[in-house]
Amino acid sequence: IEAVVFDEDIVVDTIGDHRPRSICGSGLIDAVAVLADLGVVDATGRFVPPQEGRNLPESITSRILEHGGQPAFCLAWDERTSEPGILLTQKDIREVQLAKAAIRAGIRILMSRVDMKDADIDRVLLAGAFGNYIRPSSAVRIGLLPAVPLDRIQSVGNAAAAGAEILLISEECRAR
């Protein structure tokens, strides 16, 4: 699963349009953002118990399960057995939070070194495969990226390779 959206139900896109077998980073960020938007998880990342009165469609409530003694959400059903296939558990949400916290801490440290706030950011450049496929709105929604207008966030692809090419062909860049 490389992307997750809500459109009356959970809709997943998979790499190569194959049946879902696992989830990649961009899909995981989308999934957490969608669950937060729906109120399935709260601002702390905790699954909200069904009895706490959310008004969710049946297409969503039927996906809220328990797995291994912890709350879980079914992103995709196994087409052959109609059993839950790809689950996002409370532990998975916590792992996303740890990774997000590390990335955001790095961003905040760099910004504090130059006395900068989120509002001061002109552009956010996302590099590499992860940066190329991440949905900026989902990354901002879960707090992975600074809260800037989405038109300021841009994927730049393989920036390392582009930088290496520039250094190889430009004496001025090598000197700088």
Side-chain angles (χ1 to χ4, degrees):
I1 298 174
E2 65 178 341
V4 178
V5 295
F6 175 72
D7 183 20
E8 304 290 323
D9 194 2
I10 296 298
V11 179
V12 299
D13 287 333
T14 59
I15 297 169
D17 289 323
H18 296 286
R19 68 176 179 80
R21 290 183 286 188
S22 62
I23 188 165
C24 65
S26 59
L28 188 56
I29 290 169
D30 279 351
V32 173
V34 166
L35 293 183
D37 285 343
L38 291 170
V40 173
V41 296
D42 66 17
T44 70
R46 180 184 67 92
F47 273 87
V48 178
Q51 64 272 20
E52 288 190 16
R54 295 178 320 272
N55 188 21
L56 295 172
E58 173 60 27
S59 64
I60 298 303
T61 58
S62 66
R63 292 173 175 272
I64 302 170
L65 314 165
E66 186 175 298
H67 179 74
Q70 62 179 317
F73 188 86
C74 180
L75 291 171
W77 304 98
D78 185 318
E79 296 170 358
R80 296 172 293 206
T81 66
S82 297
E83 294 292 318
I86 309 298
L87 293 174
L88 189 62
T89 66
Q90 184 67 74
K91 183 175 187 266
D92 296 326
I93 301 283
R94 296 295 182 225
E95 296 292 333
V96 169
Q97 287 178 308
L98 286 172
K100 178 202 84 150
I103 292 167
R104 267 309 261 160
I107 293 169
R108 286 181 192 232
I109 289 168
L110 291 172
M111 289 175 65
S112 71
R113 296 267 169 113
V114 294
D115 196 30
M116 203 175 183
K117 306 277 186 247
D118 285 2
D120 300 324
I121 297 172
D122 293 328
R123 289 187 308 168
V124 175
L125 302 176
L126 302 175
F130 184 63
N132 198 43
Y133 292 102
I134 189 173
R135 188 185 318 266
S137 60
S138 295
V140 169
R141 171 63 177 96
I142 70 167
L144 177 69
L145 295 177
V148 298
L150 296 179
D151 63 351
R152 293 186 190 173
I153 302 172
Q154 174 184 353
S155 294
V156 295
N158 190 343
E165 288 174 7
I166 290 168
L167 286 174
L168 287 171
I169 62 173
S170 171
E171 287 183 31
E172 179 185 333
C173 286
R174 281 195 304 273
R176 189 173 67 228

